[in-house]
Amino acid sequence: MRLVATATIHPGEVLGQTIYRDNGTILLHNGIPLTERLINRLVEQGISYVYIEDEATKDIVVQPVISEKLRHDATSSMMRLFSSIRDSKLKTNSFVLDEESTNLTDIINRMMDEVNGHEESITLLTDIYLTDDYIFQHSLNVAIYSLAIGSQLKLNAKELAELGTGAILHDIGKVFINPDILQKPERLTDEEFSIMKSHTTKGYDLLRNNHTYSSVVAHCAYQHHERINGSGYPRGLKGEDIHLYAQIIGVADVFDAVTSNRVYRKALLPHEGLELLYSSAVNQFNIPIVEAFKNSVAVYPNGISVELSDKRKGVVVSQNKHTCDRPNIRILRDVNGDVEPYTVDLSIELNVVIIDCDLA
Ligand SMILES: [Fe+2]
């Protein structure tokens, strides 16, 4: 598979990944040849890049971090939870959390096993969801990334379970926010923004009133938009006053938001998303958390075309687990033109670096 800019795809080229709706149903199956109409539709939906199959890279694969079954079960559980909270006529919605809590605990445990058992560094670029409201998949992705960061930071199993639960429920307060505000593509007015921001306190109140989850889980919902320099919300907490889990979830949340395809803006590639985190890390994020994240995510995912500092060009074939920014590259070209393909391992060839990614 090769990762390409959607706008550069030619009709007849074959889709290398399945594209889903937010509810987990399939919109486009991998393996289908793309028509002009489908390509235009992907562009219109804000899908910046997709995987396609081609001869030169047909052996390059991306292992999903979690199985399709787990993603489906997790999505269904989240959907049930959100809709029963919405439908709840009682003053307190906490009882519906109880009903779904056993399922959710099981899902977090399975997720911990699958994330821990995943050999390669993490890439979620294969998981494309088309929808205006992508809250379920976003919550799952944030949980996956948070668990990976937590493992890097050597949290124990109990701590990871708590972090994973806090992560999957971090935006649960959005169930109380008008969808027109949540899905508004244009800039929010001050009033709309303050309503949107209240998802943190609303989520906290909901979880705090429920005794199934610890107060730490409620604080993940409360504090995940706080930033260590005090610029976040709802309280403008600083530094260590923000719970470690909320800081981890904050990093995962921003990364998933900027690297996901949205109708109103272009998705960043993983190395660009990381650059953004690093450039704001000094002020907004805790550097060790960003470092831990960089050590678990595929900076240059399989199938992406890269240029090296010595002018050789190629495609990322596979990842090196402990050096996530130095994958294995199949060289296809050098300064003299096309070459017989061969692989270089950037974790060994330390004198070259990746200087550019090319999706054309
Ligand atoms: Fe949020």
Side-chain angles (χ1 to χ4, degrees), residues 76-350:
S76 312
S77 177
M78 299 277 294
M79 283 171 65
R80 278 195 304 272
L81 186 58
F82 271 67
S83 64
S84 39
I85 293 171
R86 267 190 201 120
D87 297 346
S88 170
K89 298 285 183 287
L90 298 179
K91 278 274 181 294
T92 166
N93 311 84
S94 73
F95 82 99
V96 292
L97 281 169
D98 288 331
E99 284 178 357
E100 203 56 43
S101 71
T102 326
N103 265 328
L104 214 56
T105 307
D106 171 56
I107 278 158
I108 297 297
N109 285 333
R110 285 161 62 194
M111 204 178 271
M112 281 161 59
D113 287 346
E114 293 196 14
V115 172
N116 276 331
H118 186 69
E119 286 297 317
E120 284 207 323
S121 42
I122 291 177
T123 177
L124 298 179
L125 294 189
T126 41
D127 304 316
I128 288 196
Y129 295 88
L130 272 195
T131 175
D132 292 333
D133 178 4
Y134 74 138
I135 189 159
F136 306 126
Q137 303 308 325
H138 172 67
S139 299
L140 289 188
N141 288 353
V142 168
I144 292 168
Y145 287 137
S146 297
L147 288 174
I149 297 172
S151 300
Q152 282 283 329
L153 296 174
K154 304 273 181 276
L155 299 188
N156 65 36
K158 184 173 171 287
E159 293 166 329
L160 287 174
E162 206 162 41
L163 169 63
T165 309
I168 209 163
L169 297 174
H170 77 281
D171 265 348
I172 195 159
K174 285 191 174 169
V175 75
F176 303 112
I177 309 292
N178 185 337
D180 292 344
I181 293 179
L182 289 179
Q183 294 162 21
K184 187 178 170 185
E186 303 90 37
R187 204 184 167 82
L188 299 179
T189 64
D190 288 351
E191 197 198 341
E192 289 167 338
F193 192 46
S194 73
I195 294 171
M196 209 281 292
K197 287 201 264 192
S198 71
H199 78 276
T200 51
T201 45
K202 293 192 160 102
Y204 174 68
D205 290 339
L206 173 69
L207 292 166
R208 198 192 47 177
N209 289 328
N210 172 270
H211 301 294
T212 316
Y213 299 107
S214 69
S215 83
V216 174
V217 170
H219 277 84
C220 291
Y222 200 11
Q223 298 182 347
H224 69 275
H225 287 286
E226 300 285 2
R227 298 292 176 255
I228 58 170
N229 63 354
S231 65
Y233 61 84
R235 287 185 292 167
L237 296 179
K238 282 188 179 172
E240 299 297 303
D241 288 344
I242 308 164
H243 194 281
L244 172 70
Y245 300 173
Q247 292 191 42
I248 293 172
I249 294 166
V251 167
D253 181 23
V254 168
F255 183 82
D256 190 61
V258 298
T259 57
S260 293
N261 289 289
R262 312 296 291 134
V263 173
Y264 45 88
R265 55 143 186 74
K266 187 174 168 290
L268 299 183
L269 288 166
H271 71 284
E272 298 168 323
L274 279 168
E275 271 167 33
L276 184 135
L277 285 179
Y278 271 101
S279 61
S280 43
V282 198
N283 299 318
Q284 299 188 29
F285 301 106
N286 185 326
I287 290 171
I289 295 177
V290 177
E291 281 288 306
F293 187 48
K294 190 191 145 198
N295 289 333
S296 36
V297 73
V299 182
Y300 302 102
N302 295 0
I304 198 169
S305 299
V306 293
E307 181 177 348
L308 302 181
S309 47
D310 59 9
K311 301 284 183 221
R312 287 183 292 177
K313 290 183 175 178
V315 179
V316 174
V317 184
S318 58
Q319 304 289 316
N320 287 304
K321 183 147 192 176
H322 298 293
T323 47
C324 298
D325 55 348
R326 303 196 65 81
N328 301 307
I329 318 273
R330 178 173 304 154
I331 301 296
L332 302 170
R333 237 161 300 159
D334 63 17
V335 275
N336 300 315
D338 291 353
V339 296
E340 187 61 33
Y342 63 96
T343 302
V344 295
D345 179 347
L346 290 192
S347 71
I348 295 170
E349 270 198 50
L350 298 174

